[in-house]
């Protein structure tokens, strides 16, 4: 322990932990320990994801009730509800919904399998990457909807063209995010697998696929969104059934309420499918500690 003198003549005793100042000293008293400041987004808000859509609905209701919104431009919510009931009674909504859901699930399933296989092949093999990555990047630069005229020439205007359009839209996000996750796996895990003399099969199922799972699920969220976007477009091209066909037919007759019914169904399908992927992500990746948790 050392004793020092300051410029004012005051004596202070320096300890290993803090300075103790006597009268006449210019030393300041140390402050107490500061509370740790939390830098994250804070605790989750109950039903937080539903607040924004509910606010939009309230604005829509208020604007229609007060006469601020022209019903010829945007039908009132109660008019849309009446159109819902009418379409359900006629059976049109159910039939078109089943047709659209079948197309979407078929295209999403095929694109999911193809995109995953391409990503794993390119991610684990330099030869595979040389053969696959370039064409996928070319497809990424070309909007899927721009390929529709060419797909019509190849497949006609039937179901094959519609499903193929959805498949091409789904492949790219699945491939990009899964491939990036594969290449981002820590090389120490690879070295450990080599040290343990893992077989190629065990290496893929115990190291590669679990490591790429976060990227795959992120790509799945984008793929689901693009699936519904592509479905809306292809169902308005020489289609005879589906939600997109119902919307296009309503446009011809100026039925704004029916158009909004179709849009509301699309919104619900998008929100529900994205919520299911998020739920799957929380369950499968429950071991991760992230900013969101």
């Amino acid at each position: 322990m050392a004793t020092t003198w300051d410029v004012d003549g005051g004596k202070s005793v320096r300890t290993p932990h803090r300075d103790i100042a006597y009268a006449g000293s210019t030393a300041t008293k140390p402050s107490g320990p500061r509370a740790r400041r939390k830098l994250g987004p804070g605790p989750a808000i109950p039903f937080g994801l539903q607040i924004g859509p509910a606010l939009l609905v309230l604005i829509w209701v208020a604007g229609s009730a007060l006469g601020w919104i022209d019903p010829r431009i945007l039908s009132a919510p109660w008019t849309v509800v009446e159109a819902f009931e009418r379409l359900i009674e006629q059976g049109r909504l159910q039939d078109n919904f089943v047709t659209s859901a079948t197309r979407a699930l078929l295209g999403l399933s095929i694109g999911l399998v193809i995109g995953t296989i391409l990503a794993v092949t390119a991610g684990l093999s330099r030869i595979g990457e040389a053969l696959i990555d370039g064409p996928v990047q070319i497809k990424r630069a070309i909007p899927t909807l721009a390929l529709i005229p060419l797909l019509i020439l190849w497949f006609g205007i039937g179901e094959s063209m519609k499903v193929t359009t959805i498949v091409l839209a789904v492949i790219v996000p699945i491939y990009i995010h899964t491939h990036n996750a594969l290449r981002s796996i820590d090389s120490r895990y690879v070295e450990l697998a080599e040290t343990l003399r893992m077989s190629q099969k065990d290496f893929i199922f115990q190291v590669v696929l679990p490591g790429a799972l976060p990227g795959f699920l992120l790509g799945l969220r984008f793929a689901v969104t693009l699936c519904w976007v592509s479905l809306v477009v292809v169902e308005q091209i020489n289609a005879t059934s589906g939600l997109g066909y119902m919307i296009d037919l309503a446009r011809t007759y100026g039925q704004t309420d029916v158009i909004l019914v179709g849009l509301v169904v699309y919104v619900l399908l998008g929100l529900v499918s994205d919520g299911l992927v998020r739920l799957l992500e929380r369950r499968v990746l429950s071991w991760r500690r992230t900013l969101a948790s």
Side-chain angles (χ1 to χ4, degrees):
M1 180 171 62
T3 301
T4 58
W5 297 86
D6 59 19
V7 294
D8 296 331
K11 183 173 70 172
S12 65
V13 180
R14 182 177 299 276
T15 67
H17 302 288
R18 63 183 184 272
D19 291 342
I20 302 175
Y22 290 92
S25 173
T26 58
T28 59
K29 184 179 180 181
S31 59
R34 291 185 302 175
R36 187 177 65 176
R37 180 183 179 185
K38 293 184 178 181
L39 302 177
I45 301 175
F47 304 102
L49 297 178
Q50 287 75 34
I51 293 177
L55 182 60
L56 290 177
V57 172
L58 290 176
I59 295 175
W60 182 20
V61 171
S64 300
L66 297 175
W68 296 341
I69 302 176
D70 189 344
R72 294 173 298 179
I73 298 176
L74 186 63
S75 299
W78 42 89
T79 305
V80 176
V81 172
E82 293 174 357
F84 254 111
E85 296 174 351
R86 184 175 66 253
L87 291 172
I88 292 176
E89 291 175 358
Q90 297 172 353
R92 292 172 54 193
L93 185 59
Q94 299 92 309
D95 294 340
N96 290 317
F97 172 78
V98 171
T99 302
S100 296
T102 302
R103 289 169 180 160
L105 291 176
L106 184 59
L108 180 63
S109 301
I110 296 174
L112 190 64
V113 173
I114 295 176
T116 304
I117 292 175
L118 293 178
V120 173
T121 303
L124 299 181
S125 171
R126 293 294 183 183
I127 297 177
E129 184 179 36
L131 296 175
I132 295 173
D133 192 68
V136 174
Q137 297 299 334
I138 292 175
K139 168 59 192 70
R140 181 187 181 188
I142 302 175
T144 302
L145 304 182
L147 296 174
I148 289 181
L150 188 60
L151 294 176
I152 292 177
L153 292 176
W154 288 350
F155 301 103
I157 59 175
E159 293 299 312
S160 299
M161 183 273 294
K162 297 176 177 60
V163 173
T164 302
T165 303
I166 297 173
V167 169
L168 292 176
V170 167
I171 286 177
V172 174
I174 292 293
Y175 173 86
I176 294 296
H177 291 282
T178 306
H179 179 266
N180 179 69
L182 284 169
R183 287 303 173 88
S184 301
I185 294 177
D186 198 326
S187 61
R188 291 175 294 181
Y189 296 140
V190 181
E191 296 173 357
L192 179 61
E194 294 173 349
T195 303
L196 297 176
R197 299 183 182 278
M198 275 189 176
S199 64
Q200 187 72 15
K201 179 181 177 181
D202 292 338
F203 173 67
I204 291 176
F205 284 96
Q206 297 182 22
V207 178
V208 173
L209 295 184
L213 197 55
F216 169 79
L217 292 174
L218 178 60
L220 181 59
R221 291 185 62 185
F222 284 100
V224 168
T225 301
L226 291 177
C227 171
W228 294 117
V229 171
S230 303
L231 180 67
V232 174
V233 177
V234 298
E235 285 188 338
Q236 296 184 25
I237 300 176
N238 294 322
T240 58
S241 61
L243 295 173
Y245 166 75
M246 184 182 72
I247 291 175
D248 190 56
L249 188 63
R251 176 192 59 82
T252 303
Y253 293 102
Q255 297 174 321
T256 309
D257 53 349
V258 177
I259 295 175
L260 289 174
V261 168
L263 294 178
V264 169
V265 173
Y266 276 128
V267 169
L268 294 176
L269 288 173
L271 292 177
V272 170
S273 56
D274 184 71
L276 290 175
V277 176
R278 286 189 176 192
L279 178 62
L280 177 64
E281 185 178 11
R282 286 197 298 268
R283 294 291 178 85
V284 175
L285 304 178
S286 59
W287 48 270
R288 291 199 310 171
R289 299 293 298 172
T290 63
L291 190 63
S293 59

